Amino acid sequence: MDTRDLESQREDFYRRIEPSHLAPLWTRLKSLVPAQPMPVGVAHRWRYADVRPLLLESADHISAREAERRVLILENPGLRGTSQITSTLFAGLQLIMPGEVAPAHRHTQSALRFIIEGSGAHTTVDGEKVIMEPGDFVITPAWRWHEHGNESGGPMVWLDGLDIPLLMHFNSTFREDDAARKPPESQYDGLIHFPYERARETLFALARSGAPDSHLGHVLRYQDPKRGGWAMPTIASMIRILPKGFATRPYRSSDSMVFAAVEGRGTLEVGGTKFDLAPHDVAVVPGWMPYTLQASEDWVVFSFSDRSAQEKLGFFRDERL
Ligand code: 1HN
């Protein structure tokens, strides 16, 4: 049989199996199982100076109570309409004004908060109150009742990170609202509040004590002190300091990274683009794209990714270039 006949007989075969909801794997195998990660989304930076006035304006349009959560979603420009910053994570900037309450609810998605601006507002987790200060890292574990309130005199802004797209893949999302509130079945026994004061002290002590890792800088991982390992089951969070003048060697990992600049200034370089990052700017780097961080001042950077889930499932990879 010549190849034209072979090809047309194959095409005919594919058409005949289609009504039985069957398809050939061999035409799709290499796209289903690529040799390495295909980029999902694009690298992007949100300047806080641009976003802040819009976030504050959102308070003219809706209250925290009516919105339930007054959040502007940081949507990856390569993933429009998905509410995703990466293929597995949601990120947004949440605003709560003085006197406002964001009512209690619980969901199977886990949330992290990294405090950007303001001082003294609170979040509660199963009734345990956490007062939030800039640079603090706060966790709302899955299925824990949580609400936010602002009894301070000024607006309070934080970066939210949730594993929403990840749970969407598992189709295991549940939510209950305040009206259905019951006493919690158990008490969460992990750490939920990591104050910046302690992280900052440790970072600057590290920076004084020796040379930074060539690809990462001086890194602290937020850990669960009881069980060890990452503080959250799905999301891995870190904070690092890059001494003034230091530049990392190119590095890539299979987890797409969300960065939030904290103090000082520097540049994230990814895919030939340089993103200067001022304090409170947020950036995203798709998985497996090599990137570098260059510090023009002593530079503190917070980051989170789905690495905690990838490690547990056994497919996390990284490469030092
Ligand atoms: C949520 O519950 C919070 O509790 C923040 O602060 C962001 C984004 C989507 C769905 C639920 C919060 C959220 C969210």
Side-chain angles (χ1 to χ4, degrees):
M1 212 182 326
D2 76 28
T3 49
R4 284 255 294 286
D5 285 348
L6 185 67
E7 206 41 58
S8 71
Q9 286 183 22
R10 283 180 181 172
E11 292 297 337
D12 179 62
F13 174 64
Y14 303 156
R15 270 192 299 275
R16 284 187 291 112
I17 64 175
E18 204 267 353
S20 303
H21 310 289
L22 297 168
L25 170 63
W26 54 89
T27 62
R28 307 181 184 180
L29 192 145
K30 288 193 164 60
S31 59
L32 283 177
V33 185
Q36 49 179 291
M38 311 285 279
V40 178
V42 296
H44 188 74
R45 178 256 335 263
W46 290 263
R47 289 185 197 275
Y48 192 60
D50 298 335
V51 176
R52 186 179 187 276
L54 301 172
L55 184 60
L56 289 175
E57 186 190 328
S58 72
D60 300 337
H61 301 298
I62 195 162
S63 68
R65 186 173 293 280
E66 193 195 345
E68 192 162 328
R69 297 294 183 264
R70 191 203 287 118
V71 176
L72 290 185
I73 300 171
L74 301 173
E75 189 170 69
N76 190 303
L79 298 168
R80 278 177 185 243
T82 65
S83 305
Q84 299 177 359
I85 191 163
T86 73
S87 52
T88 54
L89 296 175
F90 167 100
L93 288 169
Q94 182 159 175
L95 170 68
I96 182 158
M97 297 297 281
E100 283 194 315
V101 169
H105 66 194
R106 66 174 176 177
H107 38 68
T108 45
Q109 291 85 354
S110 304
L112 68 83
R113 335 272 173 202
F114 188 77
I115 315 310
I116 303 287
E117 179 184 335
S119 172
H122 70 268
T123 183
T124 66
V125 174
D126 278 345
E128 185 184 336
K129 202 166 177 175
V130 174
I131 305 292
M132 300 183 282
E133 299 297 332
D136 287 5
F137 171 67
V138 182
I139 292 170
T140 306
W143 207 238
R144 298 290 161 179
W145 289 101
H146 55 287
E147 65 206 325
H148 318 303
N150 186 354
E151 291 138 24
S152 82
M156 190 93 192
V157 176
W158 62 80
L159 174 66
D160 282 314
L162 289 91
D163 51 10
I164 291 171
L166 186 66
L167 268 80
M168 219 177 267
H169 275 289
F170 289 106
N171 194 30
S172 56
T173 73
F174 297 87
R175 193 193 75 250
E176 283 181 351
D177 295 324
D178 206 8
R181 189 156 182 180
K182 304 179 208 80
E185 293 85 3
S186 63
Q187 212 54 44
Y188 183 71
D189 63 351
L191 191 60
I192 58 168
H193 184 202
F194 299 73
Y196 184 52
E197 207 182 325
R198 257 191 87 183
R200 187 178 194 279
E201 247 173 53
T202 312
L203 284 174
F204 279 89
L206 268 177
R208 283 190 301 270
S209 72
D213 179 282
S214 55
H215 292 75
L216 305 173
H218 299 282
V219 187
L220 293 177
R221 300 170 174 208
Y222 292 97
Q223 289 206 328
D224 177 340
K226 264 215 185 101
R227 284 170 283 261
W230 300 105
M232 301 171 73
T234 52
I235 305 180
S237 302
M238 311 181 201
I239 192 161
R240 73 187 79 194
I241 189 164
L242 305 149
K244 180 179 174 168
F246 175 75
T248 63
R249 305 278 310 144
Y251 172 80
R252 65 178 170 182
S253 52
S254 55
D255 55 333
S256 304
M257 299 284 294
V258 180
F259 293 100
V262 184
E263 280 189 55
R265 278 172 191 271
T267 302
L268 162 70
E269 189 168 352
V270 54
T273 306
K274 287 186 176 189
F275 297 106
D276 291 329
L277 297 180
H280 314 322
D281 289 353
V282 176
V284 61
V285 174
W288 213 240
M289 282 184 79
Y291 63 89
T292 63
L293 298 167
Q294 303 152 28
S296 48
E297 300 168 8
D298 283 350
W299 193 27
V300 180
V301 182
F302 170 81
S303 61
F304 68 92
S305 76
D306 63 13
R307 177 172 174 171
S308 185
Q310 289 202 30
E311 287 181 351
K312 287 182 189 71
L313 298 173
F315 44 73
F316 174 78
R317 284 201 199 187
D318 65 349
E319 191 174 26
R320 293 164 169 260
L321 302 164

